[in-house]
Amino acid sequence: MSTEITMPKLSDTMEEGKILQWLKRPGDTVHRGDTLAEVETDKADMVLEAFEDGVLQEILLNEGESAPVGSVIARLTQPGEEAAAAAVSPTPEAPAKAPEELEKKARARKPSAARKEAGAPAAAPSAISAEAAPGAGKVSQPPVYEPSPAEARPAEEVEFHPAMSAHPSAQPTAMPTPPRQRERTREPVPAPRAPEDGGLQKFKASPLARRAAEEAGIDLSAVRGTGPEGRITKRDVENFLREQQLFRFRRLVAPREGVPGTFEELSAMRRTIAQRMAASKREIPHFYVTAEVDMDEAVRFKSSLEATELFEEDITFNDIVVKAAALALARYTRLNSSYENGGIATHPHINIGIAVAVEDGLIVPVIHECERLTLPEIAHAARRLVAKASQGGFTSEELSGGTFSISNMGMLGIEHFAAVIIPPQSAILAVSAIKDRPVVRNGQVVVGKTMMVTVSCDHRVIDGVVAGRFLQEIKRFLENPASLLI
């Protein structure tokens, strides 16, 4: 008995989705939680996961095609069902067909499969054996995967060739990356350090560095090691990731002028942003409160953590702000609430969204239950979400459920700005750059490092005095950063 896989509703406003890439093929075994496909929604590129075990029987929606929410896009069978069907002899009315004829018929039904055949693994025998009679012909088995000598070496040191992938797949042949994904992941990363003699190159990396690179999808050959004898450390990987994200952010927000006299259609993501932001400013009575924070202690705190290597994850200023905001929201819960049906709903958990620029707009992945997370745990969650922003593949949970948001433009040197509230939230914090400014200390004017923070509030829910006290609380935590480790 087959199970129908339908187009899920991955966001509140989603009406249809487009298949960007199928990550499983007919005949593949699927386990609960496995990623089946990448789906483009009105918010971002997200992933479709399997809800039960089985074998992918057939794909009904090809890559690049769209379907409404609830439409059947694939079918799943229970393990062993296809084999049982294949063992049944054909009736006289349905004579056995040669494998060549079956293959032509399969290609005619699924043109997309023929287009992928050059770069995809051979289909499993069960994919065509349901119509073939016993003894009508034998289907060749796919080649058995043998690890290469390079993969069998210890994790500390392997040989690398520029033509090899940084992360060898466990399958005989990797599925080709669709054009859209290649566009999305094309970044100006440094080229692999190819040896002058064109032979194999050796480089060293710590196990932690290899794990961090694998999680972030980074090619270790592009990372410059700062350890002994050029060894790549975990910090080298994290610094590389931050540099790429900063470069990408600057490129995305750079002015892009259209050709005069032309008209550009909005993408699904941009249409959603336009609708929601217009509704926010039209329906929510915004007001803004700004405070200047002395960041000298926070700068020393961050430098001290880096020097002592106390945590596996490097702590960023944004992580520090998220932790301070979580502590302040726990004390001023009105900013962690929403205006609903003429009343105020205070949320049970503090789920903080982090605004991240992507190719065609802005997405806000969410760190859930921040009130329970330590500073290192927040840093790990934030780094994982930022890495996903450049690669795609968010789940619906990672882009939903936010109760408060933070927009940080400090990396661009912005001194002050105000952000638009994301419905149904009631507040958002805008974080600016840390700047050297004249400050008065002990009656003397000296140079200090300060940062401007502005909270945008929904006046239906929050009064000015509550917003002011909330900023005072954030200021107190940031100016005494040791309290963030508790």
Side-chain angles (χ1 to χ4, degrees):
M1 181 177 180
S2 63
T3 301
E4 294 181 341
I5 300 174
T6 60
M7 178 67 71
K9 189 168 186 178
L10 297 173
S11 70
D12 299 335
T13 56
M14 176 178 169
E15 296 181 356
E16 68 173 24
K18 177 192 291 186
I19 297 296
L20 296 179
Q21 180 188 18
W22 282 102
L23 302 177
K24 296 289 185 180
R25 297 179 61 80
D28 286 353
T29 300
V30 175
H31 298 287
R32 180 183 178 89
D34 283 357
T35 301
L36 298 177
E38 290 185 1
V39 181
E40 181 188 58
T41 72
D42 57 349
K43 283 189 175 182
D45 297 347
M46 306 170 77
V47 294
L48 170 63
E49 296 182 349
F51 291 96
E52 61 180 87
D53 297 344
V55 176
L56 186 60
Q57 179 184 17
E58 61 177 329
I59 292 174
L60 303 177
L61 187 65
N62 296 327
E63 293 180 357
E65 295 179 350
S66 301
V69 170
S71 301
V72 179
I73 60 176
R75 286 191 174 90
L76 202 68
T77 61
Q78 294 301 314
E81 287 186 4
E82 285 194 354
V88 178
S89 300
T91 62
E93 291 74 17
K97 300 179 181 179
E100 294 81 0
E101 184 180 349
L102 292 175
E103 187 175 357
K104 290 180 181 178
K105 183 178 178 181
R107 289 184 180 179
R109 285 198 306 267
K110 301 177 184 178
S112 62
R115 290 195 298 269
K116 298 177 193 173
E117 188 173 323
S126 59
I128 64 171
S129 60
E131 295 179 306
K138 294 184 178 180
V139 180
S140 59
Q141 296 291 336
V144 178
Y145 176 67
E146 295 287 347
S148 66
E151 294 174 55
R153 291 178 183 270
E156 291 297 318
E157 180 177 345
V158 300
E159 291 182 347
F160 176 83
H161 190 275
M164 293 170 59
S165 168
H167 308 293
S169 172
Q171 299 295 329
T173 312
M175 290 181 66
T177 304
R180 180 180 180 89
Q181 186 175 357
R182 284 198 297 268
E183 251 179 40
R184 187 171 65 247
T185 57
R186 187 184 302 140
E187 299 295 338
V189 298
R193 302 190 297 273
E196 296 179 359
D197 58 2
L200 294 177
Q201 174 190 0
K202 293 183 178 181
F203 66 92
K204 294 183 178 181
S206 69
L208 285 177
R210 293 185 185 281
R211 187 176 67 182
E214 182 178 358
E215 290 178 356
I218 294 174
D219 185 347
L220 274 177
S221 66
V223 181
R224 185 171 298 279
T226 61
E229 300 180 359
R231 181 186 180 89
I232 299 173
T233 65
K234 187 170 183 290
R235 178 170 296 176
D236 295 330
V237 174
E238 292 172 347
N239 289 339
F240 176 84
L241 178 62
R242 279 197 294 271
E243 290 172 1
Q244 293 305 309
Q245 290 297 329
L246 179 57
F247 183 91
R248 186 172 186 273
F249 184 77
R250 286 174 174 167
R251 177 173 62 83
L252 290 173
V253 300
R256 289 178 288 180
E257 297 181 356
V259 178
T262 61
F263 176 80
E264 179 184 356
E265 284 282 351
L266 293 180
S267 66
M269 181 187 295
R270 178 54 63 184
R271 284 198 302 270
T272 301
I273 292 173
Q275 293 167 0
R276 299 194 73 193
M277 294 300 97
S280 176
K281 292 294 287 186
R282 182 175 60 249
E283 299 171 7
I284 298 178
H286 285 58
F287 76 94
Y288 312 94
V289 180
T290 301
E292 185 174 14
V293 181
D294 185 343
M295 293 294 288
D296 278 335
E297 288 298 324
V299 170
R300 282 192 284 269
F301 173 72
K302 180 177 179 297
S303 299
S304 175
L305 292 179
E306 290 177 353
T308 57
E309 298 183 348
L310 187 60
F311 306 120
E312 288 188 5
E313 307 283 348
D314 273 357
I315 307 297
T316 67
F317 286 115
N318 198 67
D319 302 330
I320 292 173
V321 172
V322 171
K323 179 62 177 178
L327 293 174
L329 287 168
R331 299 186 180 184
Y332 292 93
T333 56
R334 187 56 62 90
L335 282 90
N336 195 54
S337 60
S338 299
Y339 182 83
E340 295 180 5
N341 302 320
I344 299 173
T346 302
H347 302 292
H349 297 294
I350 298 172
N351 305 330
I352 298 181
I354 308 297
V356 179
V358 293
E359 185 174 354
D360 197 30
L362 192 75
I363 60 173
V364 188
V366 179
I367 303 176
H368 290 265
E369 300 186 16
C370 288
E371 75 278 8
R372 300 181 180 180
L373 300 181
T374 64
L375 181 58
E377 290 171 339
I378 287 175
H380 176 74
R383 186 174 69 88
R384 182 176 56 83
L385 291 176
V386 170
K388 275 194 171 185
S390 63
Q391 302 164 7
F394 283 110
T395 64
S396 57
E397 182 181 6
E398 291 169 335
L399 290 179
S400 61
T403 60
F404 182 85
S405 293
I406 294 176
S407 179
N408 189 342
M409 295 182 69
M411 70 288 293
L412 298 177
I414 303 302
E415 296 189 5
H416 176 261
F417 75 104
V420 180
I421 298 171
I422 303 173
Q425 300 170 22
S426 61
I428 183 171
L429 184 69
V431 181
S432 302
I434 299 174
K435 294 280 188 177
D436 288 333
R437 295 185 177 94
V439 297
V440 178
R441 289 179 182 155
N442 300 322
Q444 301 291 324
V445 177
V446 297
V447 177
K449 296 184 180 299
T450 67
M451 178 180 73
M452 308 297 288
V453 290
T454 299
V455 61
S456 307
C457 300
D458 183 346
H459 221 324
R460 298 172 300 179
V461 178
I462 304 165
D463 293 330
V465 65
V466 176
R469 288 172 178 169
F470 170 75
L471 281 191
Q472 282 184 336
E473 194 74 355
I474 286 185
K475 177 180 171 73
R476 189 165 67 89
F477 282 121
L478 292 177
E479 292 180 352
N480 300 274
S483 60
L484 304 178
L485 293 177
I486 298 175

